[in-house]
Amino acid sequence: MIVVLKQSAQKKDIERLTNQIEKQGLNTSIVYGTDQTIIGIIGDTTILDPKTIEVDEAVDHVMRVSEPYKLANRAFHPEDTIIDVAGVKIGGGHLGFIAGPCSVESEEQIIEVAKSVKASGANILRGGAFKPRTSPYSFQGMGSTALDLLLKAKEVTHLPICTELMDASYIPLFNKKVDLVQIGTRNMQNYALLKKVGKEVKKPVLLKRGQSATYEEWIMAAEYIMANGNKNVILCERGIRTYETYTRNTLDLQAIPVLKKLTHLPIIIDPSHAGGKWWLVPPMAKASIAAGCDGLMIEVHNDPEKALSDGPQSLRPEKYSSLMEDIKKLSTIFGKSYE
Amino acid sequence: MIVVLKQSAQKKDIERLTNQIEKQGLNTSIVYGTDQTIIGIIGDTTILDPKTIEVDEAVDHVMRVSEPYKLANRAFHPEDTIIDVAGVKIGGGHLGFIAGPCSVESEEQIIEVAKSVKASGANILRGGAFKPRTSPYSFQGMGSTALDLLLKAKEVTHLPICTELMDASYIPLFNKKVDLVQIGTRNMQNYALLKKVGKEVKKPVLLKRGQSATYEEWIMAAEYIMANGNKNVILCERGIRTYETYTRNTLDLQAIPVLKKLTHLPIIIDPSHAGGKWWLVPPMAKASIAAGCDGLMIEVHNDPEKALSDGPQSLRPEKYSSLMEDIKKLSTIFGKSYE
Amino acid sequence: MIVVLKQSAQKKDIERLTNQIEKQGLNTSIVYGTDQTIIGIIGDTTILDPKTIEVDEAVDHVMRVSEPYKLANRAFHPEDTIIDVAGVKIGGGHLGFIAGPCSVESEEQIIEVAKSVKASGANILRGGAFKPRTSPYSFQGMGSTALDLLLKAKEVTHLPICTELMDASYIPLFNKKVDLVQIGTRNMQNYALLKKVGKEVKKPVLLKRGQSATYEEWIMAAEYIMANGNKNVILCERGIRTYETYTRNTLDLQAIPVLKKLTHLPIIIDPSHAGGKWWLVPPMAKASIAAGCDGLMIEVHNDPEKALSDGPQSLRPEKYSSLMEDIKKLSTIFGKSYE
Amino acid sequence: MIVVLKQSAQKKDIERLTNQIEKQGLNTSIVYGTDQTIIGIIGDTTILDPKTIEVDEAVDHVMRVSEPYKLANRAFHPEDTIIDVAGVKIGGGHLGFIAGPCSVESEEQIIEVAKSVKASGANILRGGAFKPRTSPYSFQGMGSTALDLLLKAKEVTHLPICTELMDASYIPLFNKKVDLVQIGTRNMQNYALLKKVGKEVKKPVLLKRGQSATYEEWIMAAEYIMANGNKNVILCERGIRTYETYTRNTLDLQAIPVLKKLTHLPIIIDPSHAGGKWWLVPPMAKASIAAGCDGLMIEVHNDPEKALSDGPQSLRPEKYSSLMEDIKKLSTIFGKSYE
């Protein structure tokens, strides 16, 4: 960490600051510049809050030199982490293909979609049970009933199931019934939930990027879960909020190489929520694979026109099937595998 | 609501769509344009999800003509709502001045700050008990102990107290001890929490704007709380995320006149979190009052250099006092009052 | 175009507005809603400025139903436009691979890079002559001398040359020496320049997206050039400004399918400026091809450590060569060709 | 400037880098951290492009410690700059009130508006002659004829005149006829224009902030003009682009105290373009004054419904007059003056 002093800083200010820093078990080294002096802090600075130093009157600003996360940091864990979702591997060359409807709507619907996406090559089934909706007057999901319908679809297809957890009181239920527990965009910084997920959830976690989260904030959210005990975190990019409103969000595919560099956790892409339009899904899914992601999460609905939520961004089963044909060809080129 | 059809839409498409819409108890009216036909939907469209129509193959896009919120809508409640926080009125010409430290740190600290801000003119005391921190390794707040220290400060100063609720399991405790329950930025779209706050919280709620929430999404979050039973919602602008990183966030003061137009709920401004630097607080606080807000939430710390969180954005008591002098002069010009 | 009236609008307001609209040769059709009345405007509304109607006291807001551009609009020109850059075709299945250094620095440098990128498969040579730099104290490019060095490299390699035009007074020179005239990000809304480029530039134009331009504003900038006489416009996405600052910009690959839908003009991707880091270029270049773009613009420098500008985002020739191997495999899968 | 090395950096890398830096006449100082080594660069680093160092294989990233601008920097010019616009002072406690129509439309219109805004307290007249419009099919301004009409209004009212320069070829004309030369948002990074404005324009310059310009980029644009010879630059905030689209732009009033800290140049606010709606102008104008700006630029039109551009954001003369009454009261509180 680098402390940049004001031009007006005196010798006594430097002494006060170095004392304060060294009391916390860290070392300092001073660079006297022409106009400005800086103090370099040496040691493990993850425990240090830059703001507690920045408040000093002699300090202009404080800059981090290294990342504030440890468990998720690639620097300390050079190998790719491979997550096992009820037998399906994700990361380290293994691709996860999560597919299914935005919301579970009926037994018939979820089983039909599950069979169809499995036939096309999906290896995990998704389906919303509890839905975060912008309007209190919109359909909020079937709730715990939907979990049982997902289990029926699992019985038929043997696909592990993934669904979103919005409320910590459902953790025991999710531990029993769900294979991959999703934390949604709107809860990425719900720290009360992240802590409990870290401590109590016994299954792998899929952590979506917050709508306007930086890479660092996103990895710090994963660090919350990991520091509380659950190391099995998969990151999922689903588009960020920008000034462009033609698309629902702007899909940030640079996240793939950036996160591969910063962290050892797998990263998958959700092109359905990013664009909000079904015809954006196939090109963006292919682009994601070409950029080196570890999997895709795609909404597929057998009858999008009757979908109770997010119909316009759902692919029909035949479109998904044809997309997966292309994905297989691409995966071959890039030496990736999936089971 | 307006349904814009594709140029390729046929008569049968129009019939199918109008049938589908009319089955839901709404009426339609068709405008045949040169290149495009549109269907106007007549009736209460708040219950209608535009996406369920947008998915139709003949539809290009759907546009809302009126707002999707009702209880919070100024159109249906032209009078300003006045919220009573344990005797302190906010809204309709009454200004709320919430002040205090980012985090409660000790009995001595909170009582000293409380006395000082009261002397300067504050009428509500704030102090963080449970803190949402980006890093799991940062100070997370004193928790429920802090509530008791706030109560001691209340005993001494008679200032009602305001603190953030992050976890629904603490609602009974907050109902007993807290006068104004804050929902933080990171939980603005934590719908599981909003629903419980609407149903179970018996005190007024201060709802901060999400980091990248639109005005509409923000009002919809208030609508969640109101639709679930608690109508006493105060909105709080605290800066939004933009590309500019010199300041912590960009304070959006246009929110004041815009929200005054769209909703009848009071709106207050938090200039401390917006800028992240104490020297930005006085000019922005004065600007907020001049723009017509219903109050201010300001961080004040007796010793910012030892603050366990957000020191750089905290005002010292003497700066707060001098700011409040200016605020009083401004309030007089604009005919606002506070007790 | 749709005119949404205020709830308070009277019959006489509707009459005044319809008269005003019809005087401009357009027709109207009225939809009487439960709370609000709307006026649909029928006819060619590209000439109409929504703001001249929005100002009316009885009007709440005005919404466009169709796009404000004509010449660039896919709806009126369903076929892909193919641009011929001195014999190299771009668009309609033909890929353009533009490569070369950020700045031309010497005869030796530009010829060496030109030979090398040609050997790897590039079909157009880029090299900055006039450089838009954030600081007045940074290297501003070699100016017109650089054009002559580019011509020497062209003589040796027969690659057409592409460079940026910043000042309309150089148009005659560019018409003589340059094959593809680039309009940079910072000039995308320099309308004085766009008009002259439309009227006077005799070569195809590469129009980069403005740093915070919407798709519509970008296409409107192309429409400026086209409406003034030059129909040969290639669009180039190079990243947009967002809150994420780890990368220089956020590359928006959804632009590819979106622009393919809205316009018939070719679209190419510049992954070098988007990320600002060389190691982001190969994954993003592959992703762009997989998403269906019409070409790539990539910075290649034989000695990035001595580059006078943008070294960190330049690929070394051997990395470019290996990237182009992957690109060829991808192009084969997607049935694209390049010569 | 701070050079952060990779963990893998060797002694020979440090030697190579320090040699390279010292060859440019700068000194270095090395801080050996636990995981990472950093090199501090000592001396005038404004001439140094961080990217030329960042490209080195041993370097992780480079961070600036001090600002890259000199002439505009408050650190080297602690006194407020006061700009004289044909006798009207702006800055250092003097307020400039620029008002007038978006576009000059006729002699009658501009004279009527000029008289009226003068009566209300404006001290500079604005009026668009050359208009940057998003659509090539919209009204582009009356051009040089408008300059003569502005001069007639000046003759009648003695108000200095301000209008936008879009094309460097008009500089001689502007030098003759215009008192304050505006550089618009879309040209803030049109460096070819900025250089000529610095060299050839003999009048003060009003430099609007680019739509997505950071404070630093904006000040660097002023530095371009100043470094080329014209030191009389006034900065004008007019809203930035964010994800919120209810308003045309988000007005960033934190810019006022931030720029006051970073630079000695005056800063004025344009609330008309920021919000795009006339009813946002009075609250934002008052907020701007309360925040300490040096003036306001406001659109006033005698008949907004017939305005050829930007009608919805124009105030009627009577609203402007009543706003100026409030402004006068505010100015008194804050001890500002205007003539």
Side-chain angles (χ1 to χ4, degrees), chain D residues 281-296:
Chain D
V281 173
M284 289 304 107
K286 286 182 264 183
S288 303
I289 293 294
C293 72
D294 298 304
L296 296 167

Side-chain angles (χ1 to χ4, degrees), chain C residues 3 5 14 16-17 56 72 107 125-126 128 137 161 193 213 223 231-232 248 268 280 286 290 331:
Chain C
V3 182
L5 300 184
I14 298 174
R16 179 183 65 251
L17 281 159
D56 190 286
E107 182 174 336
L125 176 68
R126 63 153 286 156
Y137 311 119
I161 58 181
L193 182 62
E223 187 89 2
K231 302 285 194 302
N232 296 309
R248 185 167 171 173
I268 72 166
L280 289 171
K286 287 182 264 183
S331 307

Side-chain angles (χ1 to χ4, degrees), chain D residues 106-123:
Chain D
S106 71
E107 182 174 336
E108 204 185 4
Q109 171 237 24
I110 190 68
I111 290 179
E112 189 184 324
V113 175
K115 281 179 177 170
S116 139
V117 297
K118 181 170 187 174
S120 302
N123 48 20

Side-chain angles (χ1 to χ4, degrees), chain B residues 28-91:
Chain B
T28 57
S29 172
I30 301 172
V31 179
Y32 295 96
T34 319
D35 295 321
Q36 268 168 313
T37 299
I38 67 167
I39 303 175
I41 306 181
I42 300 160
D44 177 8
T45 57
T46 40
I47 50 152
L48 213 58
D49 186 347
K51 287 180 190 159
T52 59
I53 299 165
E54 208 154 61
V55 78
D56 189 288
E57 279 197 359
V59 173
D60 194 77
H61 62 286
V62 177
M63 301 188 289
R64 278 202 180 278
V65 161
S66 51
E67 297 85 13
Y69 42 87
K70 285 188 282 198
L71 300 171
N73 199 327
R74 169 81 73 174
F76 306 121
H77 308 73
E79 297 294 306
D80 282 350
T81 283
I82 299 172
I83 307 280
D84 186 308
V85 180
V88 174
K89 293 200 181 84
I90 299 181

Side-chain angles (χ1 to χ4, degrees), chain D residues 3-233:
Chain D
V3 182
V4 181
L5 300 184
K6 286 185 186 153
Q7 294 193 19
S8 57
Q10 306 291 318
K11 216 184 145 192
K12 66 175 169 41
D13 298 317
I14 297 173
E15 278 168 16
R16 180 183 64 249
L17 281 159
T18 50
N19 281 340
Q20 183 193 325
I21 292 160
E22 289 171 4
K23 255 188 234 156
Q24 302 182 56
L26 298 157
N27 289 313
T28 57
S29 172
I30 300 175
V31 178
Y32 294 96
T34 320
D35 295 320
Q36 269 168 311
T37 299
I38 66 166
I39 303 174
I41 306 180
I42 299 159
D44 176 8
T45 56
T46 40
I47 52 152
L48 213 59
D49 186 346
K51 286 181 191 159
T52 61
I53 298 165
E54 207 155 61
V55 78
D56 190 286
E57 278 198 358
V59 173
D60 193 78
H61 62 285
V62 177
M63 301 189 289
R64 276 201 181 278
V65 161
S66 52
E67 296 84 16
Y69 42 88
K70 284 188 282 199
L71 300 171
N73 200 328
R74 169 80 72 173
F76 307 121
H77 308 72
E79 296 294 306
D80 282 351
T81 284
I82 298 172
I83 307 279
D84 185 309
V85 180
V88 173
K89 292 198 181 82
I90 299 181
H94 304 271
L95 298 173
F97 293 108
I98 308 171
C102 182
S103 298
V104 177
E105 292 163 20
S106 71
E107 182 174 336
E108 204 185 4
Q109 171 237 24
I110 190 68
I111 290 179
E112 189 184 324
V113 175
K115 281 179 177 170
S116 139
V117 297
K118 181 170 187 174
S120 302
N123 48 20
I124 298 178
L125 175 67
R126 63 152 286 156
F130 302 90
K131 300 295 305 169
R133 304 300 303 274
T134 313
S135 168
Y137 310 120
S138 298
F139 174 61
Q140 309 273 318
M142 291 178 78
S144 48
T145 314
L147 297 188
D148 295 322
L149 301 183
L150 283 165
L151 283 176
K152 287 197 179 163
K154 181 182 178 179
E155 231 177 82
V156 177
T157 59
H158 304 292
L159 290 174
I161 59 181
C162 170
T163 196
E164 179 172 350
L165 174 74
M166 288 174 65
D167 187 332
S169 64
Y170 287 97
I171 290 180
L173 194 68
F174 273 61
N175 273 335
K176 232 165 67 191
K177 304 190 172 172
V178 176
D179 299 300
L180 177 59
V181 175
Q182 177 180 324
I183 301 300
T185 292
R186 292 169 186 77
N187 283 320
M188 193 206 85
Q189 292 193 316
N190 176 349
Y191 297 122
L193 181 62
L194 296 183
K195 284 180 195 173
K196 288 181 185 164
V197 165
K199 283 189 190 118
E200 302 167 22
V201 167
K202 303 299 168 212
K203 305 295 180 67
V205 176
L206 182 82
L207 178 66
K208 290 208 158 184
R209 182 180 190 177
Q211 205 155 227
S212 59
T214 61
Y215 300 135
E216 188 172 298
E217 288 167 344
W218 188 13
I219 299 174
M220 287 305 272
E223 186 88 3
Y224 253 96
I225 297 171
M226 297 170 87
N228 279 283
N230 189 334
K231 301 285 194 303
N232 296 310
V233 179

Side-chain angles (χ1 to χ4, degrees), chain A residues 9-17:
Chain A
Q10 307 291 318
K11 215 184 146 194
K12 65 172 168 45
D13 298 317
I14 298 174
E15 277 167 17
R16 180 184 62 251
L17 280 159

Side-chain angles (χ1 to χ4, degrees), chain B residues 95-217:
Chain B
L95 297 174
F97 292 108
I98 308 171
C102 183
S103 298
V104 176
E105 291 164 20
S106 71
E107 182 173 336
E108 205 186 3
Q109 170 237 25
I110 191 69
I111 289 179
E112 191 185 322
V113 175
K115 281 178 177 172
S116 141
V117 298
K118 179 166 190 180
S120 302
N123 48 20
I124 298 177
L125 175 66
R126 63 151 288 156
F130 302 90
K131 301 295 306 171
R133 303 300 303 275
T134 313
S135 167
Y137 310 120
S138 299
F139 174 61
Q140 309 275 318
M142 292 179 76
S144 47
T145 314
L147 297 188
D148 294 322
L149 300 183
L150 284 165
L151 283 177
K152 287 196 179 162
K154 182 182 177 179
E155 229 175 84
V156 177
T157 58
H158 303 293
L159 290 174
I161 58 180
C162 169
T163 196
E164 180 173 350
L165 174 74
M166 287 174 66
D167 187 329
S169 64
Y170 287 97
I171 291 179
L173 195 68
F174 273 60
N175 273 335
K176 231 164 69 189
K177 303 189 173 175
V178 176
D179 299 300
L180 177 59
V181 175
Q182 178 180 323
I183 300 301
T185 293
R186 293 169 186 78
N187 283 319
M188 194 205 84
Q189 293 192 316
N190 176 350
Y191 296 122
L193 182 61
L194 296 184
K195 284 180 196 174
K196 289 181 186 165
V197 165
K199 283 189 190 119
E200 301 167 21
V201 167
K202 302 301 166 209
K203 305 295 180 67
V205 176
L206 182 81
L207 178 67
K208 289 207 158 184
R209 184 181 187 177
Q211 206 155 225
S212 60
T214 61
Y215 301 134
E216 189 173 298
E217 288 167 343

